[in-house]
Amino acid sequence: GRATENVRPSNRVIRFYNAVGSLPLRLGPALLILTSLDAIKVVILSGIMQRTDAALQVLYDYRPRPWRLLWGLGDHLWQQSFNCRSVRARGKFVQEAARVLLAHLVRGKAIRDGWGRRLIIASIGSGSASQLLQGIRDNGFGAKELRVIMVDHDPRALKTGVENAWRMGLEAAIEAQKTTIGRFLAKTAPDSVDLVEMVGLADYFEETTIKRYFTGIRDVIASGGFFLGANISNREEMAYAHGAACWPAMHYRSKEELTTLLKNAGFGRIWTGDCGLYTVWVAKKSA
């Protein structure tokens, strides 16, 4: 859809960003920090504090700011990289997909069961959860229809997510759980969650871990429920991401690898799509 259109810059522009990332003596990060206020935040948050959730929010929230003068131009330059554009496209995709999937689930539930039980959504490694929450608000849903469990081991990330929920008027629908993914999946009843969203997290898991988590996610999802996720696939701008923006190491997985992982975890129907540097997916647990 709209989220995936016009994300990729030209080859020449990608070469420029990778050249900056390949500069010796850590000159790439120095150049970013000297020319952009946004870049200072991203490099400190992702490279030093390992707070990728907060760093992503800087990318999601980007707007041209001419009053920053030269730093405004620097912000614009670095925020137009393939990586940054892909992150924003991924955010839009999550918002659109959440809106469509939740409308489908709520409608199906109302037809099947009436309003006996609220739908349960789990946002794993939720961070700010801003895109998922926006997708919920776009439908006009709230605590009557949904219970949203935000799962993150970082209390600062959860605090941001809860603040976002308050700002959107969704605080009554939210339950924040400070725990690890493994613990959350172990204590959640099988077949009890209607939608699991895990975007921005799979990229950091080793193969054995992601296999275990995908199987655990399939187990907790109810029949007919969905797993919405994303993983970086395209290596075209790796040098810039890790050499200039100081982003932590990631596991780049192809669309085929991700489809195989989801199939092996037991998902019946799997849709994948390209979203800039990312592969995004919606996997359904068959009856």
Side-chain angles (χ1 to χ4, degrees):
R2 286 171 298 138
T4 59
E5 288 169 10
N6 305 316
V7 180
R8 190 185 189 280
S10 70
N11 289 335
R12 188 170 53 82
V13 170
I14 291 172
R15 280 197 299 272
F16 162 73
Y17 288 115
N18 280 329
V20 171
S22 303
L23 290 170
L25 307 172
R26 307 297 284 162
L27 286 172
L31 188 58
L32 264 66
I33 286 169
L34 287 170
T35 55
S36 163
L37 300 180
D38 281 355
I40 292 171
K41 291 182 200 167
V42 169
V43 169
I44 290 172
L45 287 167
S46 66
I48 298 169
M49 297 173 71
Q50 300 293 295
R51 287 282 315 279
T52 52
D53 62 296
L56 286 171
Q57 205 57 46
V58 177
L59 308 185
Y60 287 141
D61 293 343
Y62 173 66
R63 303 285 179 277
R65 299 181 182 98
W67 57 90
R68 286 186 177 179
L69 306 174
L70 287 173
W71 286 279
L73 288 174
D75 288 345
H76 184 71
L77 175 64
W78 306 123
Q79 287 268 19
Q80 293 312 304
S81 70
F82 200 2
N83 277 281
C84 293
R85 289 158 71 126
S86 297
V87 164
R88 286 191 289 276
R90 187 184 70 180
K92 279 188 203 148
F93 169 79
V94 170
Q95 186 178 328
E96 288 176 16
R99 179 173 53 76
V100 171
L101 293 174
L102 289 172
H104 171 79
L105 286 165
V106 166
R107 196 165 53 245
K109 169 126 193 54
I111 292 165
R112 200 172 56 249
D113 312 329
W115 291 108
R117 174 181 77 81
R118 293 185 295 171
L119 286 176
I120 296 175
I121 293 103
S123 179
I124 296 183
S126 63
S128 69
S130 51
Q131 277 64 42
L132 175 67
L133 293 171
Q134 190 62 55
I136 292 168
R137 195 170 76 163
D138 287 348
N139 275 323
F141 294 150
K144 186 175 131 227
E145 295 87 7
L146 310 172
R147 175 173 157 231
V148 184
I149 305 167
M150 293 167 59
V151 180
D152 208 301
H153 66 89
D154 186 338
R156 297 165 299 182
L158 275 180
K159 183 170 178 281
T160 305
V162 170
E163 285 167 359
N164 275 343
W166 274 91
R167 203 173 64 249
M168 294 185 192
L170 294 169
E171 65 279 2
I174 296 295
E175 177 190 325
Q177 293 193 16
K178 181 189 167 295
T179 187
T180 63
I181 301 168
R183 285 200 197 106
F184 170 75
L185 293 173
K187 73 179 183 184
T188 301
D191 307 316
S192 64
V193 181
D194 299 286
L195 172 67
V196 171
E197 176 260 335
M198 187 175 78
V199 172
L201 205 56
D203 319 65
Y204 304 105
F205 295 140
E206 299 278 353
E207 221 58 18
T208 50
T209 309
I210 202 168
K211 283 177 184 172
R212 190 170 75 248
Y213 286 161
F214 276 16
T215 303
I217 287 167
R218 184 217 166 260
D219 289 344
V220 303
I221 290 177
S223 176
F226 295 100
F227 177 25
L228 169 63
N231 198 120
I232 196 159
S233 294
N234 187 322
R235 299 168 183 266
E236 278 188 278
E237 216 180 63
M238 269 180 81
Y240 175 70
H242 307 298
C246 300
W247 209 260
M250 293 185 283
H251 295 275
Y252 289 73
R253 294 184 174 97
S254 70
K255 195 181 286 187
E256 293 71 31
E257 286 175 279
L258 290 163
T259 301
T260 300
L261 283 166
L262 290 161
K263 267 187 190 158
N264 290 345
F267 286 97
R269 292 173 63 190
I270 299 157
W271 173 88
T272 58
D274 298 309
C275 191
L277 294 167
Y278 293 91
T279 292
V280 289
W281 69 79
V282 176
K284 186 175 186 181
K285 182 172 174 177
S286 303

